[in-house]
């Protein structure tokens, strides 16, 4: 009996899949919802043990966390890379240790794509395109202007410098805007995906350009919400004097739309927990994962905000 018990313990311990997750931080409502999706999903699965680490938006902390996971011999490493570049050495260390890596939410820029098994998350270029398309199709109606004769001045609040969503959302937006030369991006600066920075940078934009600004394109809702405050303090009406489109579709954006202060939000879902742990389990069961898993998302203009708010999960 004693021998049997001795044998049973390691067999049981082996049943748990240990996953190390390195999160960027808690910079936005999106990120908070993403963390909650991951931790709550892990808690639901008795076969998963999650080691969660918060990098406070610093790449060096993420690299440290990943090295710790390697040292602990976790089964799978997943992370949301704060910026695109600079990961090759640590990813090589994981590969040498035989630990598969899943990219969650954001992509890395590395020559060798065998350093990670799959990248799951949104198509950020498409989100940029959707923002621009919505703007081109709705600006006239909202501003009561003839966009073919006027110059329309756009200011852009970019996400974290060097991050996949900031790079891609800018690219997608510009790609569509090329077809609408009346729209001119007169200012573009990073607000680091936070409310406080979004407000601060919008204040600077307003100081420099004032009422010349027709449109704000923000790479996330939090920066737009910060900017809305700056616009009101400046004495202009957000959503009327300045047309605003942003990305994520967090609850705060729906609330701002219901108040008439935001015009449109393009969805980017943070609810990646279930698909992350499905992928982990598939991987451990020996299945081959698709190299890219794209999230399905929509666009929500102000007109549908009140109806949609009760359905929002983040
Ligand atoms: O849009 C922003 C967050 O990587 C998609 O990060 C994510 C972005 C999201 O801080 O709010």
């Amino acid at each position: 009996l004693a021998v049997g018990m001795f044998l049973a313990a390691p067999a049981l311990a082996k049943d748990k899949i240990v996953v190390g997750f390195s999160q960027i931080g808690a910079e936005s409502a999106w990120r908070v919802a993403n963390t909650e999706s991951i931790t709550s999903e892990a808690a639901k699965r008795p076969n998963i043990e999650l080691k969660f680490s918060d990098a406070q938006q610093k790449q060096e902390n993420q690299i440290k966390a990943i090295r710790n996971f390697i040292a602990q011999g976790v089964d799978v490493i997943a992370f949301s890379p704060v910026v695109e570049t600079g990961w090759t050495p640590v990813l090589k260390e994981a590969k040498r240790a035989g630990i598969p890596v899943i990219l969650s939410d954001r992509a890395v820029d590395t020559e060798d794509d065998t350093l990670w098994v799959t990248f799951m998350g949104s198509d950020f270029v498409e989100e940029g395109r959707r923002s621009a398309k919505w703007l081109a199709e709705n600006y006239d109606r909202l501003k009561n202007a003839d966009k073919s004769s006027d110059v329309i001045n756009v200011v852009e609040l970019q996400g974290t410098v060097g991050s996949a969503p900031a790079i891609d959302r800018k690219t997608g937006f510009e790609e569509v805007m090329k077809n609408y030369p009346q729209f001119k991006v007169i200012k573009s600066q990073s607000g680091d995906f936070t409310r406080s920075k979004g407000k601060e940078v919008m204040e600077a934009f307003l100081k420099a350009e004032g009422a010349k600004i027709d449109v704000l394109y923000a790479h996330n809702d939090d920066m737009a919400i910060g900017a809305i405050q700056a616009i009101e303090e400046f004495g202009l009406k957000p959503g009327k004097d300045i047309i605003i489109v942003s990305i994520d579709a967090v609850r705060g954006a729906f609330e701002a739309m219901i108040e008439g202060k935001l015009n449109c939000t393009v969805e980017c879902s943070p609810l990646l927990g279930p698909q992350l742990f499905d992928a982990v389990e598939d991987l451990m069961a020996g299945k081959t994962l698709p190299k890219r898993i794209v999230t399905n998302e929509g666009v929500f203009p102000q007109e549908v905000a009140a109806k949609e708010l009760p359905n929002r999960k983040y």
Side-chain angles (χ1 to χ4, degrees):
L1 189 69
V3 171
M5 281 172 72
F6 175 74
L7 285 174
L12 251 182
K14 245 175 114 189
D15 283 349
K16 282 228 177 196
I17 304 169
V18 182
V19 182
F21 189 94
S22 165
Q23 180 61 292
I24 291 173
E27 75 280 5
S28 63
W30 190 101
R31 188 66 51 197
V32 172
N34 181 242
T35 293
E36 149 61 27
S37 172
I38 290 162
T39 54
S40 67
E41 187 63 28
K44 273 188 217 153
R45 302 193 186 207
N47 58 332
I48 297 285
E49 182 186 331
L50 175 66
K51 293 179 184 294
F52 186 89
S53 172
D54 179 326
Q56 307 196 319
Q57 279 173 279
K58 291 206 176 71
Q59 182 175 32
E60 57 187 276
N61 292 343
Q62 287 201 291
I63 292 173
K64 260 187 224 152
I66 295 169
R67 291 210 164 113
N68 268 329
F69 295 147
I70 297 170
Q72 291 172 50
V74 301
D75 296 304
V76 179
I77 291 172
F79 79 117
S80 182
V82 60
V83 292
E84 285 191 339
T85 57
W87 301 102
T88 306
V90 73
L91 291 179
K92 280 190 173 154
E93 290 167 35
K95 195 179 178 184
R96 240 177 279 132
I99 303 172
V101 173
I102 295 177
L103 302 176
S104 168
D105 154 41
R106 295 187 184 178
V108 296
D109 182 0
T110 142
E111 302 266 279
D112 180 1
D113 70 3
T114 68
L115 295 177
W116 45 274
V117 286
T118 186
F119 162 39
M120 63 176 56
S122 307
D123 182 341
F124 301 137
V125 178
E126 182 55 28
E127 291 166 353
R129 289 189 197 111
R130 286 179 184 163
S131 306
K133 265 181 218 147
W134 176 86
L135 185 61
E137 284 163 12
N138 293 280
Y139 182 83
D140 272 5
R141 175 179 60 86
L142 293 168
K143 262 282 198 122
N144 240 344
D146 174 6
K147 71 175 187 267
S148 56
S149 58
D150 271 324
V151 172
I152 302 158
N153 293 311
V154 180
V155 296
E156 178 181 30
L157 282 169
Q158 296 183 37
T160 300
V161 175
S163 71
I167 295 166
D168 294 352
R169 286 170 184 171
K170 189 172 199 311
T171 304
F173 187 80
E174 282 169 358
E175 185 192 303
V176 170
M177 279 292 129
K178 271 204 317 255
N179 306 319
Y180 303 91
Q182 323 81 285
F183 289 92
K184 292 241 153 45
V185 178
I186 54 168
K187 290 269 177 204
S188 181
Q189 204 180 307
S190 173
D192 210 15
F193 281 133
T194 68
R195 277 190 195 203
S196 58
K197 266 293 183 69
K199 177 166 190 254
E200 199 182 302
V201 176
M202 190 69 202
E203 278 165 2
F205 287 169
L206 286 162
K207 211 169 163 203
E209 307 292 343
K212 258 176 68 188
I213 302 171
D214 299 304
V215 174
L216 165 65
Y217 167 47
H219 289 190
N220 81 346
D221 293 335
D222 278 74
M223 292 190 294
I225 290 165
I228 284 171
Q229 234 185 303
I231 295 166
E232 287 181 321
E233 285 171 18
F234 191 79
L236 291 174
K237 285 202 173 63
K240 301 203 172 60
D241 297 324
I242 299 180
I243 302 305
I244 309 175
V245 55
S246 57
I247 300 174
D248 278 355
V250 297
R251 290 184 144 264
F254 283 82
E255 285 155 8
M257 287 196 289
I258 290 168
E259 290 174 356
K261 296 176 179 178
L262 177 74
N263 302 93
C264 184
T265 184
V266 171
E267 189 179 30
C268 176
S269 175
L271 309 178
L272 301 178
Q275 76 190 66
L276 172 63
F277 292 107
D278 283 349
V280 165
E281 289 177 10
D282 284 351
L283 194 62
M284 296 311 281
K287 294 188 192 150
T288 309
L289 299 179
K291 200 70 188 169
R292 180 79 173 98
I293 303 171
V294 185
T295 319
N296 258 341
E297 293 154 337
V299 174
F300 300 99
Q302 201 177 80
E303 301 79 64
V304 304
K307 198 173 149 260
E308 277 298 326
L309 179 59
N311 304 329
R312 302 305 294 164
K313 300 266 183 316
Y314 61 94

